[in-house]
Protein backbone atom coordinates (compact mmCIF):
# COMPACT_ATOMS: atom_id res chain seq x y z
CA UNK A 1 0.00 0.00 0.00
CA UNK A 2 1.32 3.42 -0.88
CA UNK A 3 0.33 6.94 0.19
CA UNK A 4 1.31 10.19 -1.41
CA UNK A 5 4.04 11.86 0.65
CA UNK A 6 2.63 15.37 0.54
CA UNK A 7 -0.81 14.36 1.73
CA UNK A 8 -0.10 12.70 5.05
CA UNK A 9 -1.88 13.91 8.20
CA UNK A 10 1.32 15.11 9.90
CA UNK A 11 2.23 17.29 6.93
CA UNK A 12 -1.28 18.75 6.82
CA UNK A 13 -1.19 19.40 10.57
CA UNK A 14 2.17 21.17 10.31
CA UNK A 15 0.89 23.25 7.41
CA UNK A 16 -2.25 24.17 9.35
CA UNK A 17 -0.22 25.14 12.41
CA UNK A 18 2.05 27.34 10.29
CA UNK A 19 -1.00 29.11 8.84
CA UNK A 20 -2.38 29.64 12.35
CA UNK A 21 0.98 31.03 13.50
CA UNK A 22 1.11 33.42 10.55
CA UNK A 23 -2.46 34.56 11.18
CA UNK A 24 -1.66 35.21 14.86
CA UNK A 25 1.43 37.23 13.89
CA UNK A 26 -0.59 39.35 11.47
CA UNK A 27 -3.24 39.91 14.12
CA UNK A 28 -0.62 41.07 16.64
CA UNK A 29 0.98 43.38 14.06
CA UNK A 30 -2.43 44.82 13.14
CA UNK A 31 -3.27 45.45 16.82
CA UNK A 32 0.08 47.19 17.35
CA UNK A 33 -0.51 49.35 14.30
CA UNK A 34 -4.05 50.24 15.44
CA UNK A 35 -2.75 51.08 18.92
CA UNK A 36 -0.06 53.30 17.45
CA UNK A 37 -2.55 55.08 15.18
CA UNK A 38 -5.00 55.59 18.03
CA UNK A 39 -2.21 57.02 20.21
CA UNK A 40 -1.17 59.44 17.47
CA UNK A 41 -4.80 60.49 16.98
CA UNK A 42 -5.23 61.10 20.71
CA UNK A 43 -2.06 63.20 20.81
CA UNK A 44 -3.26 65.34 17.91
CA UNK A 45 -6.71 65.74 19.47
CA UNK A 46 -5.13 66.62 22.83
CA UNK A 47 -2.91 69.32 21.34
CA UNK A 48 -5.84 70.76 19.38
CA UNK A 49 -8.04 70.78 22.48
CA UNK A 50 -5.30 72.46 24.52
CA UNK A 51 -4.98 75.19 21.90
CA UNK A 52 -8.75 75.68 21.80
CA UNK A 53 -8.76 75.87 25.60
CA UNK A 54 -6.07 78.55 25.49
CA UNK A 55 -8.08 80.54 22.96
CA UNK A 56 -11.32 80.02 24.91
CA UNK A 57 -9.60 81.40 28.01
CA UNK A 58 -8.50 84.48 26.10
CA UNK A 59 -12.00 84.91 24.68
CA UNK A 60 -13.50 84.63 28.15
CA UNK A 61 -11.07 87.27 29.43
CA UNK A 62 -12.02 89.66 26.64
CA UNK A 63 -15.72 89.13 27.32
CA UNK A 64 -15.13 89.79 31.04
CA UNK A 65 -13.34 93.05 30.23
CA UNK A 66 -16.19 94.11 27.96
CA UNK A 67 -18.72 93.29 30.68
CA UNK A 68 -16.79 95.20 33.34
CA UNK A 69 -16.46 98.18 31.03
CA UNK A 70 -20.17 98.12 30.21
CA UNK A 71 -21.10 97.86 33.90
CA UNK A 72 -18.91 100.88 34.59
CA UNK A 73 -20.60 102.77 31.76
CA UNK A 74 -24.00 101.79 33.23
CA UNK A 75 -23.00 103.16 36.64
CA UNK A 76 -22.08 106.43 34.94
CA UNK A 77 -25.44 106.52 33.17
CA UNK A 78 -23.96 105.97 29.70
CA UNK A 79 -25.42 102.52 29.04
CA UNK A 80 -28.70 100.69 29.46
CA UNK A 81 -29.52 97.69 31.61
CA UNK A 82 -30.34 95.78 28.43
CA UNK A 83 -26.79 96.38 27.16
CA UNK A 84 -25.33 95.13 30.44
CA UNK A 85 -27.52 92.02 30.30
CA UNK A 86 -26.43 91.35 26.73
CA UNK A 87 -22.77 91.60 27.76
CA UNK A 88 -23.44 89.30 30.72
CA UNK A 89 -24.91 86.74 28.33
CA UNK A 90 -21.85 87.03 26.08
CA UNK A 91 -19.60 86.46 29.08
CA UNK A 92 -21.67 83.47 30.24
CA UNK A 93 -21.43 81.99 26.74
CA UNK A 94 -17.66 82.44 26.76
CA UNK A 95 -17.48 80.69 30.14
CA UNK A 96 -19.53 77.82 28.78
CA UNK A 97 -17.23 77.43 25.77
CA UNK A 98 -14.19 77.35 28.07
CA UNK A 99 -15.78 74.79 30.39
CA UNK A 100 -16.81 72.51 27.53
CA UNK A 101 -13.35 72.71 26.03
CA UNK A 102 -11.81 72.00 29.41
CA UNK A 103 -14.06 68.95 29.72
CA UNK A 104 -12.89 67.75 26.33
CA UNK A 105 -9.25 68.07 27.40
CA UNK A 106 -9.99 65.96 30.48
CA UNK A 107 -11.86 63.35 28.40
CA UNK A 108 -8.94 63.01 26.01
CA UNK A 109 -6.52 62.71 28.92
CA UNK A 110 -8.69 59.93 30.38
CA UNK A 111 -8.67 58.14 27.02
CA UNK A 112 -4.89 58.46 26.85
CA UNK A 113 -4.52 57.08 30.35
CA UNK A 114 -6.86 54.18 29.54
CA UNK A 115 -4.88 53.37 26.42
CA UNK A 116 -1.62 53.36 28.38
CA UNK A 117 -3.27 51.02 30.88
CA UNK A 118 -4.38 48.68 28.08
CA UNK A 119 -0.89 48.68 26.60
CA UNK A 120 0.62 47.68 29.94
CA UNK A 121 -1.66 44.64 30.25
Amino acid sequence: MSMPLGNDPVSRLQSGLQHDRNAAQYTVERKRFEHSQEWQDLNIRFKDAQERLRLAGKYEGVQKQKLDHERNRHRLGRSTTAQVIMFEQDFASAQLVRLRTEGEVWRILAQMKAQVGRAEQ
Side-chain angles (χ1 to χ4, degrees):
M1 174 159 69
S2 68
M3 287 181 69
L5 292 176
N7 207 11
D8 68 20
V10 173
S11 175
R12 286 193 318 246
L13 181 63
Q14 286 176 336
S15 176
L17 290 174
Q18 184 61 39
H19 288 304
D20 288 347
R21 187 178 304 124
N22 289 342
Q25 277 183 318
Y26 292 138
T27 300
V28 167
E29 288 175 19
R30 189 186 91 244
K31 289 291 183 185
R32 283 185 181 147
F33 175 76
E34 287 172 356
H35 179 77
S36 172
Q37 289 300 110
E38 186 177 342
W39 184 254
Q40 287 176 359
D41 179 53
L42 284 172
N43 276 303
I44 290 168
R45 287 177 45 214
F46 180 68
K47 288 176 184 173
D48 288 346
Q50 279 184 314
E51 179 62 17
R52 281 186 281 115
L53 180 59
R54 185 185 69 77
L55 293 173
K58 280 186 165 185
Y59 178 64
E60 181 183 7
V62 167
Q63 292 297 335
K64 177 69 173 150
Q65 287 176 349
K66 284 175 49 179
L67 174 59
D68 291 343
H69 180 71
E70 199 63 25
R71 282 180 177 160
N72 189 37
R73 288 187 59 204
H74 184 260
R75 276 189 284 276
L76 296 174
R78 301 197 177 270
S79 181
T80 64
T81 304
Q83 277 296 110
V84 173
I85 291 172
M86 187 176 72
F87 279 78
E88 285 174 345
Q89 289 173 341
D90 291 345
F91 177 60
S93 294
Q95 286 177 314
L96 184 60
V97 167
R98 182 189 52 80
L99 289 172
R100 283 184 177 158
T101 306
E102 201 172 304
E104 184 180 353
V105 168
W106 284 109
R107 274 191 301 280
I108 294 169
L109 276 173
Q111 289 174 340
M112 293 172 93
K113 190 170 185 173
Q115 186 170 9
V116 167
R118 278 184 268 142
E120 291 175 351
Q121 291 178 353

